[in-house]
Amino acid sequence: MRILLIGYMGSGKSTLGRWLAKRLEYEFVDMDDLIENREGMTISDIFATKGEAEFRLIEQQVIESLTSYENAVIATGGGAPCFFNNAERLNELGITIYLKITPHVLVDRLRGATHTRPILANKSEKEIFNFISEKLTEREPFYNKAKIIADANNLENEMYITIIEGYKGAHEDR
Ligand code: S3P
């Protein structure tokens, strides 16, 4: 079984993903790490030297490579479900969970982390807020394709296990 965490940067995909993986005794996989290892450069450098369009193509190929991970919790990149037919593909690969979070909380979390996030680099706090709000509006239709939508502003980690168990139970063949 695979659990795929989706949502905007700063929504807690990696932090929650690591916790869930440990708890479920699954492997933790971070898609951005797979991309960096494959290309031998950081995400920032890929954006800077190859551009976003090329990054999205690489990202799509890395999504295909996720079939080689069984029993894994996978943190997907923030834009991953929003290009090509990736959202549908991620749903085929496992249980997708959208970590839904408000722009205010996201800005708080992303403050100070802009150097590792090329999309937010060189923007003031106000610009980041506006940018994130716009992006969320644009991306929500894709994020909302996830099988499970979780209020990640408030949910306790433990509650995700209950949600996943409930989802599995409801979808098991009878
Ligand atoms: C991106 C999010 C990043 C990374 C890249 C593009 C986006 O992933 O894939 O910088 O388009 O939102 P995280 O959400 O893991 O930071």
Side-chain angles (χ1 to χ4, degrees), residues 9 13 32 43 47 55-56 59 77-79 117-119 139:
M9 289 181 272
K13 293 168 290 182
D32 285 345
I43 302 280
F47 268 75
F55 173 82
R56 297 301 170 194
E59 185 174 60
R117 262 100 180 193
I119 276 182
R139 289 182 171 185

Side-chain angles (χ1 to χ4, degrees), residues 32-76:
D32 285 345
D33 290 347
L34 296 182
I35 293 174
E36 292 190 340
N37 290 341
R38 197 187 121 127
E39 295 301 303
M41 59 173 109
T42 64
I43 302 280
S44 299
D45 287 342
I46 301 172
F47 268 75
T49 60
K50 303 190 174 189
E52 181 172 354
E54 180 67 21
F55 173 82
R56 297 301 170 194
L57 289 172
I58 300 166
E59 185 174 60
Q60 188 187 28
Q61 288 163 18
V62 166
I63 289 176
E64 282 315 310
S65 76
L66 295 177
T67 50
S68 59
Y69 298 94
E70 295 290 345
N71 296 330
V73 179
I74 301 161
T76 67

Side-chain angles (χ1 to χ4, degrees), residues 67-126:
T67 50
S68 59
Y69 298 94
E70 295 290 345
N71 296 330
V73 179
I74 301 161
T76 67
C82 314
F83 295 85
F84 315 110
N85 67 339
N86 293 351
E88 287 75 12
R89 190 68 188 117
L90 292 170
N91 277 338
E92 285 167 6
L93 292 173
I95 302 178
T96 44
I97 307 180
Y98 168 30
L99 306 186
K100 190 177 164 119
I101 215 156
T102 63
H104 279 107
V105 177
L106 283 174
V107 172
D108 268 358
R109 291 207 191 156
L110 290 169
R111 193 176 291 137
T114 52
H115 58 288
T116 53
R117 262 100 180 193
I119 276 182
L120 302 178
N122 308 317
K123 290 189 176 70
S124 72
E125 195 158 320
K126 178 103 184 64

